[in-house]
Amino acid sequence: MANIKIAIVDDHQIVRDGIKILIEDEPGFEISFEAENGEQATNLSLEHKPDLIVMDITMPKMNGIEATEQIKKEQPDVKVLALTMLSEDQHIKKMIKAGASGYILKSSGKEELIKAINTIMDGKHYFSDDATQAILQELVQPTVSKNREPDEINITERELEVLKLIVNEFTNQEIADQLYVSVRTVDAHRRNLLQKTGAKNTAGLVKYAIKNKLFDNNNNG
């Protein structure tokens, strides 16, 4: 069976070298080419015809999203595995839309990289757990209207207590101590509040509470 020809596209030499070290000794894999931007990747891809491209998202000249779109248009059979950082979760969705078959974090080890490549070459998708959590969090938020009224969204008594302490600048640990619950429980309440209110972060929760005058009468209590 022929080797899987893998291309590595990243604008940092050190990242390309690291990936190369992880896969070049793996039986059945061979390096097809390296590129430092999307433009180079699209040109070299036509020339070398790799089976799979490990593609960075943020690059100069042409980013990974545009390069993936272009390559998939010209060579639909080429598989793309996106390389991402957690902070790039908004780009990951665009990468999948462009035609990538999966993504892993730049912090992934050899085992996950090999597993991702093999999974994608088997015709399946591979999504790194950590990155998936970040995306799912983003995906559930928009389903909640941004201006929902408090009586519409069924905030529980306990969630209101938590929200009040958040507004009063208590940390998760301080809220846990105050309510005699675990930090994990506080975190769950906080996540529920974010989802129910449509807020994206703590500042959004505080804004929501103020806008809806939730604690006007006893804000200092």
Side-chain angles (χ1 to χ4, degrees), residues 150-168:
D151 54 352
E152 275 179 30
I153 61 174
N154 192 24
I155 295 178
T156 66
E157 284 297 319
R158 180 39 67 96
E159 284 165 0
L160 269 177
E161 288 179 76
V162 171
L163 182 54
K164 184 177 177 183
L165 293 169
I166 289 172
V167 170
N168 287 324

Side-chain angles (χ1 to χ4, degrees), residues 149-193:
E149 298 300 319
D151 54 352
E152 275 179 30
I153 61 174
N154 192 24
I155 295 178
T156 66
E157 284 297 319
R158 180 39 67 96
E159 284 165 0
L160 269 177
E161 288 179 76
V162 171
L163 182 54
K164 184 177 177 183
L165 293 169
I166 289 172
V167 170
N168 287 324
E169 297 181 29
F170 279 59
T171 64
N172 273 13
Q173 185 61 62
E174 288 167 343
I175 296 171
D177 295 343
Q178 181 92 1
L179 300 178
Y180 304 105
V181 294
S182 69
V183 172
R184 184 179 253 176
T185 301
V186 174
D187 203 41
H189 286 313
R190 189 187 283 263
R191 280 200 307 273
N192 286 342
L193 283 163

